[in-house]
Every structure is written in C-alpha cells, then in structure tokens.
Amino acid sequence: MKPIYFDLDFGVTCIDTQHIRNDFVAAYLIEDNKRAAFVDTGCYLSVPMLLATLDEKNIKRENVDYIILTHIHLDHAGGAGELIKYLPNAKIIVHEYGANHLIDPSKLRSGVIKVYGELFFKQCLGDLIPVPKDKITIAKDFDNITLGERTLKFIDTPGHARHHICIWDEKSRGIFSGDTLGVSYRELDTTQGELIFPPTTPIQFDPDAWKNTLKQLMELQPKYAYLTHFNRIEFTQKSADMLIAHIDGFTNIAKQMQGHVNRHKAIKQTLLEYLLEIAKQHGVVLDETQQIKVFKGDLEICAQGLGVWLDKS
Ligand SMILES: [Zn+2]
C-alpha cells in the first residue's frame, strides 16, 4: 500500500494510517534538525505506512528518537510494539497508566475484542505486539523532551481517557491532541469552519475532567490542534466552546435515555439524530447517507462509552 501523507509546515507531516477508511486516523511525524519522532502509530496494520513515509522522506530509521503515544487506545497506539522493532534508537513515551498495558497487552486485547468483536480485531487492527519494558519512558505532567532543536512538553489530560497525554509544540503553537481536542472530519468542513465533537469512548470518559483539561489547554493559547481524527485544524476558543457544548449534549442524551428498556440502542439512535442536526446547523452539504457513513465510525463507541459513564455515575 502506498503511503498517503500531508506535509504541514514546521516539519510536521500528517500520515493517513488508512485504518478502516482514508481521512479517519492520522499519525504524525515531526522532524527537527535531522531527528524525528512519531506521535501515535495507528494500529498494527498501519506500521508499513509509517515506515514507507520515512523512506519517501529520506529519514533514516536510526534517526527516529521517539514514538510518543497520546494514549493507548488501539487506533492510536496499536502499532507501537511492531513499529519499535524497526527503530533501533527510539523510545516509546506514554502516560504512566498506559505503560503496563503496552508491556503486557493481554487486557487491552481482550477489552478491545469485547467492544469490537474478534473479527474486527483480526481484520481491522491486525495484531498487538508487546513493547519491551526497557523501551518505555513515562511522560509525567509538564515533562519536556528535546527533538533536534525544539522542545515538546507533555501534559496530563484526563477526560477522554485517564491514560491520555497531549503534547505541546511551542514551535508551531500546536497541540498534538490525540482525542482530547475532539474529532473533526474534513468532509464536514463548511464556511462556518470545522465541526468538532467528543469521542466518548469506553471506559474512562469523564466529562468534568475533560472540561477542566480543555480549560488548561486553552491557557496555552494554541494556534493549531493536530487531531488524530483527522489532520491539523486551527483551534480557537470557539472550537473549545463547541467541543464543550457537545460534551454536554452527549451526556444529556445519555441521561435522558437512562431508564430506556434498550438503553444502548436508544442512546445510539438519539446520538445520530443529534449529530445530523448539528451538521445541518453547521451548513454541511453532504447528503445524509454520506454523513451517516462519516459518523458511523464513532457512533457505536460513543454510545457504549456513555453507557459505561451512566453506570459509574
Ligand atoms: Zn481514544
């Protein structure tokens, strides 16, 4: 498969990992003064795309210093164990709550199979390779690393998952945000800008923590968000407000459906209606069938995560 990538400025490349469909899951490559780092890896099946991107850009594998994982959900980190095999000098940087699941991925594997099913795991995620313990570095809140001549800062960012970090890149005034600054698909862009909504994935969705995290990240006065889903967008206070409004919108739906006999189905259906409505208000011109295709990748998972949150709260 040929790699698809987008050259952004400041030495950042957005790689389409081609997981499930195009324009859905990104990994990023940062180059600075001949040194390189990946932020997120996509899943196991995405690794050939990451290596091919290095080849096309003439970056030596031994010049990759870091594989930084925003969190350990498999569309972000599932390729880490495989990728590290090819990068002799790279360290994997991850939140302390994620590290053990990389070293022994059996729980991660069974959790994912429980949510997505065995067939999806095999066909869409491929495999999950353990990461050698000595390759892992824990990212503590406000830790810095140097890549070439730039500084990258890690920030502990609970809300989407407790094991989530964001990476602040002062050079581009951008945040490598994993899922913390929401998901936003380019197919839904309009003259009003980007449509952004929260992936309320199981099992650690925490709306209050998420809103606190957003407040903290906005204090950095970022210009860009490097979203995993999908690509770089300009991220303003308006973007943050939209995300917060939809975190509230999603949790309100969950609360309204609390006593429903088929709660999961009711949440999923109401969530779809909500997304189609906000797309309409946003002036999205894609026809409804196409919109449903775009939302489909998130709907089931968002509904499951809201169910888990209801049961906890
Ligand atoms: Zn996630």
Side-chain angles (χ1 to χ4, degrees), residues 123 224 230:
Q123 286 184 348
Y224 297 116
F230 180 85

mmCIF file of all heavy atoms in Angstrom, residues 123 224 230:
data_model
loop_
_atom_site.group_PDB
_atom_site.id
_atom_site.type_symbol
_atom_site.label_atom_id
_atom_site.label_comp_id
_atom_site.label_asym_id
_atom_site.label_seq_id
_atom_site.Cartn_x
_atom_site.Cartn_y
_atom_site.Cartn_z
ATOM 1 N N GLN A 123 -9.347 -8.323 11.391
ATOM 2 C CA GLN A 123 -9.375 -7.714 10.057
ATOM 3 C C GLN A 123 -8.932 -6.256 10.058
ATOM 4 O O GLN A 123 -8.285 -5.808 9.124
ATOM 5 C CB GLN A 123 -10.792 -7.796 9.470
ATOM 6 C CG GLN A 123 -11.145 -9.194 9.012
ATOM 7 C CD GLN A 123 -12.509 -9.248 8.352
ATOM 8 O OE1 GLN A 123 -13.295 -8.293 8.423
ATOM 9 N NE2 GLN A 123 -12.805 -10.363 7.712
ATOM 10 N N TYR A 224 -2.941 25.727 16.712
ATOM 11 C CA TYR A 224 -3.354 24.524 15.983
ATOM 12 C C TYR A 224 -3.639 23.360 16.922
ATOM 13 O O TYR A 224 -3.027 23.233 17.987
ATOM 14 C CB TYR A 224 -2.226 24.052 15.042
ATOM 15 C CG TYR A 224 -1.867 25.010 13.954
ATOM 16 C CD1 TYR A 224 -0.594 25.590 13.911
ATOM 17 C CD2 TYR A 224 -2.783 25.331 12.951
ATOM 18 C CE1 TYR A 224 -0.248 26.474 12.898
ATOM 19 C CE2 TYR A 224 -2.439 26.217 11.936
ATOM 20 C CZ TYR A 224 -1.168 26.783 11.918
ATOM 21 O OH TYR A 224 -0.820 27.655 10.922
ATOM 22 N N PHE A 230 -9.384 14.267 12.256
ATOM 23 C CA PHE A 230 -8.338 13.898 11.358
ATOM 24 C C PHE A 230 -7.636 15.144 10.822
ATOM 25 O O PHE A 230 -8.324 16.036 10.302
ATOM 26 C CB PHE A 230 -8.941 13.081 10.192
ATOM 27 C CG PHE A 230 -7.905 12.651 9.191
ATOM 28 C CD1 PHE A 230 -7.173 11.492 9.402
ATOM 29 C CD2 PHE A 230 -7.631 13.417 8.069
ATOM 30 C CE1 PHE A 230 -6.199 11.088 8.480
ATOM 31 C CE2 PHE A 230 -6.651 13.020 7.156
ATOM 32 C CZ PHE A 230 -5.938 11.855 7.360
#
